[in-house]
Amino acid sequence: MEFQIGVIAGDGIGPEVVAEAKKVLNKVGAVYGHSFHYKSILMGGCSIDATGVPLTDEAIAAAKASDAVLMGSIGGNTQTSPWYQLPPQLRPEAGLLKLRKSLNLFANLRPAYLYEELKEACPLRDNIIGDGFDMMIMRELTGGLYFGERKTEEIDGVMTAVDTLTYNENEIRRIAKRGFDIAMKRRKKVTSVDKANVLDSSRLWRKVVEEVAEDYPEVAYEHMLVDNCAMQLVKNPGQFDVILTENMFGDILSDEASMVTGSIGMLSSASLNDTKFGLYEPSGGSAPDIAGKGIANPIATILSAAMMLRYSFDLDKEADAVEEAVRQVLKDGYRTIDIMPQNENENVTLIGTAKMGDFICERIK
Ligand code: NAD
């Protein structure tokens, strides 16, 4: 099959890690008989330097014309880079927000998976980790508290601020469907997280999720209050498969879940709309402190490319092969600097960005 991939290499370590993900995709193409065609798209600081704005209309059009977009990361050192002297709407991150909005990317997916080999980086005790965990946080990305009306005003001499949390049933239904669809590709369990004991928006959320669940009889689902979920993530993370939740709860829970896995260099993510299109990117930033040194961990970007294979292209077998190659390279003892064990360990070898990409390619069967 043939696929058009928009590529936003971006700034800092972005171009370095994206190069490795492309290497891996090309290997998948060679082994499984697919052709991936790449179109470079400018966004972030490099776009500011070239065009004066972080995202041009041509860049948006190029992204829309692609089957999916693979991204590195954007931005620079926020203290020293001249990009951060610009007004907020012209800074690198404004490009990403504009792109998400233009593409209507309402569903954010962040996996939290514990690799046996990186168990040491997990802050939880062995008896809590048990057999490990493998969950997917599905967060609504374009509604709720972050997009509702807000104001700050003085009322009777007292400064008062208001933020509004709004969801309509259509917004809830489309993300819930996405969540159940993803669960069908996994272990078929959805935990819908809300605060239905207090919030009207959560009670509507719960009602709509129950309606959607009727169309997925194979998926087991449960409701969980967000405060309980925050506790369960550090008490028994192995119980979760897909966690489905609204924007702010998802913002907080996805960071909590990712931190129990260890390094930022391992964390992939995807943002999807209601077609097969998605934007795939590592969860970390552009890491200006290590850019250009050839030491960044490309695994988060490579795993994001695997998500693209699975969720935008329906190439599950190929995605499995990439994920298995990553597991194997860790088993074989290769580590980038961010995932090197603290204590001396003669069974592991330190390697750089390009070698990590090469070694993962070698293990794609
Ligand atoms: P960061 O994630 O870039 O870096 C935090 C720390 O993690 C650094 O020490 C860095 O070296 C390390 N790190 C990150 N990714 C790594 C990798 N793949 N391999 C090894 N180490 C890695 O966060 P920051 O320093 O707060 O932000 C830097 C810039 O990135 C800022 O301009 C910020 O706005 C931007 N940012 C962009 C995105 C995005 O593109 N989606 C996301 C977050 C931050």
Side-chain angles (χ1 to χ4, degrees):
M1 291 172 79
E2 301 225 350
F3 300 95
Q4 305 292 335
I5 301 175
V7 178
I8 299 174
D11 308 312
I13 60 167
E16 300 168 49
V17 293
V18 160
E20 301 315 307
K22 280 168 71 178
K23 227 187 237 176
V24 167
L25 286 170
N26 291 340
K27 179 67 189 278
V28 167
V31 172
Y32 290 88
H34 305 298
S35 298
F36 300 111
H37 305 286
Y38 306 102
K39 166 115 180 113
S40 290
I41 299 174
L42 273 185
M43 189 173 88
C46 55
S47 174
I48 296 173
D49 291 345
T51 70
V53 292
L55 185 72
T56 60
D57 290 344
E58 297 80 69
I60 296 174
K64 281 187 176 162
S66 313
D67 295 317
V69 172
L70 177 68
M71 184 180 140
S73 48
I74 52 148
N77 185 317
T78 49
Q79 306 293 321
T80 58
S81 165
W83 298 328
Y84 295 92
Q85 306 301 318
L86 296 166
Q89 72 277 13
L90 288 179
R91 292 181 192 172
E93 287 71 13
L96 182 56
L97 295 179
K98 190 172 170 192
L99 185 70
R100 283 184 180 149
K101 202 165 177 207
S102 311
L103 298 171
N104 195 21
L105 301 172
F106 65 83
N108 181 244
L109 279 179
R110 268 172 65 174
Y113 179 85
L114 186 69
Y115 290 89
E116 177 66 30
E117 292 71 25
L118 303 182
K119 233 168 145 176
E120 191 183 287
C122 173
L124 304 178
R125 282 201 312 265
D126 275 357
N127 65 326
I128 294 174
I129 296 172
D131 295 333
F133 50 85
D134 174 7
M135 70 185 101
M136 183 72 84
I137 314 269
M138 177 116 201
R139 164 189 170 195
E140 203 288 330
L141 205 56
T142 55
L145 202 54
Y146 297 174
F147 290 87
E149 277 179 40
R150 68 188 81 246
K151 64 179 174 198
T152 304
E153 61 187 342
E154 197 174 308
I155 301 176
D156 297 334
V158 180
M159 288 307 288
T160 307
V162 181
D163 294 287
T164 321
L165 201 180
T166 309
Y167 271 109
N168 69 42
E169 57 180 318
N170 298 333
E171 291 170 318
I172 302 170
R173 190 166 290 110
R174 66 182 185 176
I175 183 92
K177 277 188 177 162
R178 272 293 186 162
F180 280 82
D181 285 340
I182 301 283
M184 286 296 290
K185 281 185 176 255
R186 296 173 46 94
R187 299 194 308 279
K188 300 191 173 66
K189 182 181 174 195
V190 169
T191 303
S192 174
V193 174
D194 60 36
K195 188 71 181 168
N197 52 342
V198 178
L199 301 175
D200 261 31
S201 55
S202 282
R203 284 189 276 273
L204 181 63
W205 181 279
R206 211 173 257 223
K207 179 171 171 285
V208 175
V209 168
E210 278 172 11
E211 287 165 15
V212 170
E214 284 175 17
D215 294 333
Y216 296 84
E218 285 177 60
V219 178
Y221 81 97
E222 62 181 349
H223 300 289
M224 190 177 278
L225 295 175
V226 62
D227 38 354
N228 185 24
C229 185
M231 290 191 284
Q232 294 299 326
L233 278 171
V234 290
K235 197 169 160 224
N236 179 14
Q239 70 184 287
F240 295 112
D241 180 15
V242 174
I243 292 180
L244 169 67
T245 192
E246 59 92 76
N247 203 343
M248 183 178 66
F249 298 160
D251 188 7
I252 298 166
L253 295 176
S254 60
D255 269 8
E256 184 188 358
S258 63
M259 276 306 101
V260 296
T261 64
S263 167
I264 192 153
M266 300 293 296
L267 300 170
S268 54
S269 86
S271 302
L272 312 174
N273 63 20
D274 49 13
T275 69
K276 282 279 170 195
F277 182 90
L279 169 72
Y280 297 85
E281 55 172 323
S283 296
S286 59
D289 53 334
I290 58 166
K293 296 185 178 161
I295 58 172
N297 186 349
I299 293 181
T301 316
I302 290 169
L303 291 173
S304 302
M307 289 179 84
M308 178 168 73
L309 295 173
R310 191 182 304 282
Y311 298 117
S312 281
F313 304 160
D314 276 326
L315 299 177
D316 288 14
K317 202 165 30 96
E318 290 81 344
D320 287 346
V322 174
E323 289 166 0
E324 185 48 41
V326 168
R327 261 191 295 277
Q328 194 55 50
V329 94
L330 295 174
K331 259 191 205 134
D332 294 344
Y334 296 108
R335 303 282 189 274
T336 44
I337 189 137
D338 57 309
I339 50 173
M340 274 300 274
Q342 299 294 329
N343 50 344
E344 269 186 33
N345 183 338
E346 62 209 26
N347 298 321
V348 301
T349 309
L350 178 64
I351 58 173
T353 313
K355 270 267 172 297
M356 184 56 96
D358 291 342
F359 287 174
I360 290 170
C361 284
E362 278 172 16
R363 288 161 179 78
I364 290 174
K365 298 285 180 304

